[in-house]
Every structure is written in C-alpha cells, then in structure tokens.
C-alpha cells in the first residue's frame, strides 16, 4: 500500500497522509532536520496520558507506508534523521520497521527509535537492528503507578530484563546510543521513590535520561508538573550523577508535540 500527502498544518510541520484503505496517519518535521514517522494506525499500548492511541488500534503500517512518509517530503525538507517515534508502538511492527530502516540507512539518514519494549520479541529485533539510538519509554516503575499510566498490562519486568541483558553486552561507547524516556506527570510518577528507581537504573548502565514535560491533551486527565517541580526533578537526577536531556519547544508544541497526534483513525 502507498500513502498520499493530504495536509500540512500552518502552525507547524505536521503532515497528514491518507492510506489506500482510507486511514489517516501523521508525521512531524522538527528541529530543522528530523522527521518523526508513525508506524501504526492507532496504538495498542493505550498510554492513558497519550492522545495518539485514544481511538484504539486499527493496523500496522507496511514498510512502504513508513518509507513514504519520508519520500513524499524529501524534496522540500532537509531531512537528515528519522525518528521512529510517531503514532504506534514499534515493537508491535518490528519486521516492517526493519525493512524501512534498511531503506533509510541507504539514504544515510540517522535512525532513532522510541519504544515501550513490548512485545518482547519485537523489542529484541529493534535492539539488534542497525539503529543510531533507542529510547526505552519507562514513565514509572511500581505496579500502582504503571496501572495508572498504561491500559495494556504488559510484563514490565520482562522488558527491563531484555533491555538490561542487551546493554550488559555493550561497550560504554555503544551504550551511549541508549537512553531512558521519562514523562513527568503531576502527582503520578514524580515522587522521590519513582525518581530514585529511575536514577538507579540509569546510573547502573551509564544511561542518559530524557526527562520530558507533559503536553496536556483533551483525552487525558493528567497534568504536567510545575516548572519548579520539573527543575527539582532534573536537579535530583543530576545529584545522582545522571546525564539528563530536557524538553525543548518541539516537545511541547500544542499540535505537533509527542503524544498529541490523534488523526490516525477512519
């Protein structure tokens, strides 16, 4: 199946595509050089804080449909990198993504992937792929917190075990390709207990933490932490010797920020 570009937001570089069977998917061009592409129509994980999967899950995108999100824009945008971080959970569609990665590598594009690490079989394939960076989305450690965050109750301990077993085999240099994603939500996962577990995991393997501000959406009751709490959390991790990257304006863009993509529906 192929895509055709239907719409570009006037407020940002968000693009909507139509599939041959009538679905709509999105990609976002950000930071002046990176295209964030979708991998599914909807999302099966059902993160309660995220609008992207609020309409449910419909189907995987084919490798061709993933590639075409780039092909349809390449002549008009200086795309140097592809972020597999749009709508969908990459680990559910690993085979198609691997085919697309081969194509992107042939174009000498930098390739990064963001995933919850479930299902495990797909996660293992992504970890072993020719990527330039993987972000494991954590967002919480305790059972109570994770039940609040995810509709799908997937085996988090198994995910962590797979991730750690992979990381252990890598040199310190290669470990720099991996990081932990953590979205701060007010009164949910911003406690010292949760942040301490995050710091412990990151320090154990010398991993960077991508500490994200929440971009509120109508489909979610969650709220972002205050700027003061965000800074406090950052300083807490830094005191533990953790490298931390912070949210930029692309992350909190009202229409194009992470977790706000919703058009992928019939």
């Amino acid at each position: 199946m192929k895509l055709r570009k239907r719409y570009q937001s006037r407020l940002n570089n968000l693009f909507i595509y139509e599939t041959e069977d009538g679905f709509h998917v999105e990609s976002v061009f950000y930071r002046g050089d990176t295209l964030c592409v979708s991998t599914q129509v909807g999302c099966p994980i059902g993160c309660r804080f995220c609008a992207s999967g609020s309409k449910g899950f419909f189907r995987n995108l084919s490798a061709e449909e993933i590639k075409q999100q780039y092909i349809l824009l390449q002549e008009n945008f200086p795309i140097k990198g592809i972020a597999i971080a749009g709508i969908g959970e990459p680990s559910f569609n690993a085979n198609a993504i691997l085919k697309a990665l081969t194509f992107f590598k042939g174009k000498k594009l930098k390739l990064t992937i963001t995933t919850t690490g479930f299902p495990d079989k797909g996660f293992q394939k992504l970890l072993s792929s020719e990527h330039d960076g993987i972000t494991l989305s954590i967002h919480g450690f305790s059972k109570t917190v994770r039940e609040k965050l995810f509709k799908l109750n997937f085996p988090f301990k198994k995910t962590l075990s797979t991730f750690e077993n992979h990381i252990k085999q890598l040199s310190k240099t290669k470990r720099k390709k991996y990081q932990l994603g953590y979205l701060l939500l007010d009164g949910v996962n911003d406690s010292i207990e949760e942040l301490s577990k995050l710091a412990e995991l990151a320090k154990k393997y010398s991993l960077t933490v991508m500490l994200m501000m929440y971009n509120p959406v109508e489909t979610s009751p969650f709220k972002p932490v205050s700027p003061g709490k965000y800074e406090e959390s950052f300083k807490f991790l830094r005191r533990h010797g953790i490298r931390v990257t912070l949210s930029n304006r692309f992350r909190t863009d009202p229409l194009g920020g992470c977790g706000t993509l919703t058009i992928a529906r019939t």
Side-chain angles (χ1 to χ4, degrees), residues 21-257:
D21 54 350
F23 288 106
H24 295 146
V25 294
E26 298 170 335
S27 66
V28 179
F29 181 69
Y30 70 102
R31 206 171 58 194
D33 66 355
T34 303
L35 183 67
C36 178
V37 301
S38 295
T39 57
Q40 295 181 307
V41 181
C43 182
I45 296 294
C47 302
R48 300 181 192 279
F49 51 81
C50 180
S52 300
S54 62
K55 300 296 181 179
F57 171 69
F58 298 92
R59 69 169 175 85
N60 287 329
L61 293 182
S62 67
E64 187 63 29
E65 289 171 325
I66 296 171
K67 288 157 48 178
Q68 286 210 340
Q69 293 171 66
Y70 162 77
I71 292 170
L72 291 172
L73 300 180
Q74 62 177 328
E75 292 185 1
N76 298 315
F77 291 87
I79 302 170
K80 296 181 180 179
I82 299 292
I84 308 292
I87 294 173
E89 167 48 58
S91 292
F92 268 100
N93 196 17
N95 289 337
I97 289 171
L98 293 180
K99 292 178 182 178
L101 290 185
T102 299
F103 169 79
F104 292 138
K105 274 295 184 181
K107 297 292 183 179
K108 301 187 183 305
L109 298 169
K110 182 178 180 181
L111 306 169
T112 59
I113 302 169
T114 298
T115 175
T116 63
F118 181 79
D120 189 68
K121 185 176 180 180
F123 185 37
Q124 290 185 46
K125 291 179 179 180
L126 296 179
L127 288 171
S128 301
S129 68
E130 292 296 319
H131 62 80
D132 295 297
I134 284 185
T135 298
L136 177 61
S137 296
I138 299 287
H139 309 319
F141 288 82
S142 70
K143 180 179 179 181
T144 301
V145 168
R146 292 188 64 81
E147 285 179 347
K148 292 179 181 178
L149 298 179
F150 303 102
K151 293 180 182 179
L152 185 63
N153 182 25
F154 58 92
F156 181 55
K157 289 184 178 180
K158 176 66 173 177
T159 298
L160 282 184
S161 176
T162 295
F163 185 66
E164 291 189 59
N165 287 337
H166 179 78
I167 292 293
K168 288 175 184 177
Q169 301 175 38
L170 304 178
S171 65
K172 289 185 178 180
T173 299
K174 289 186 177 181
R175 288 183 186 182
K176 292 181 180 179
K177 289 186 175 183
Y178 299 82
Q179 63 179 357
L180 305 174
Y182 201 88
L183 179 66
L184 282 172
L185 298 168
D186 186 42
V188 179
N189 63 353
D190 57 346
S191 68
I192 292 299
E193 290 76 16
E194 291 295 305
L195 290 174
S196 294
K197 293 176 183 177
L198 176 62
E200 181 182 353
L201 178 60
K203 190 169 185 177
K204 185 176 182 180
Y205 298 106
S206 300
L207 300 173
T208 297
V209 169
M210 183 170 64
L211 192 66
M212 296 175 283
M213 278 288 284
Y214 183 47
N215 196 357
V217 293
E218 294 181 357
T219 58
S220 167
F222 296 118
K223 298 179 180 180
V225 296
S226 67
K229 179 64 174 180
Y230 184 66
E231 181 178 358
E232 180 183 321
S233 301
F234 165 74
K235 290 181 177 178
F236 175 84
L237 294 172
R238 290 296 296 139
R239 285 197 298 271
H240 284 75
I242 309 302
R243 295 189 304 275
V244 184
T245 60
L246 302 176
S247 291
N248 56 34
R249 67 181 180 86
F250 302 105
R251 178 61 183 80
T252 54
D253 187 314
L255 293 179

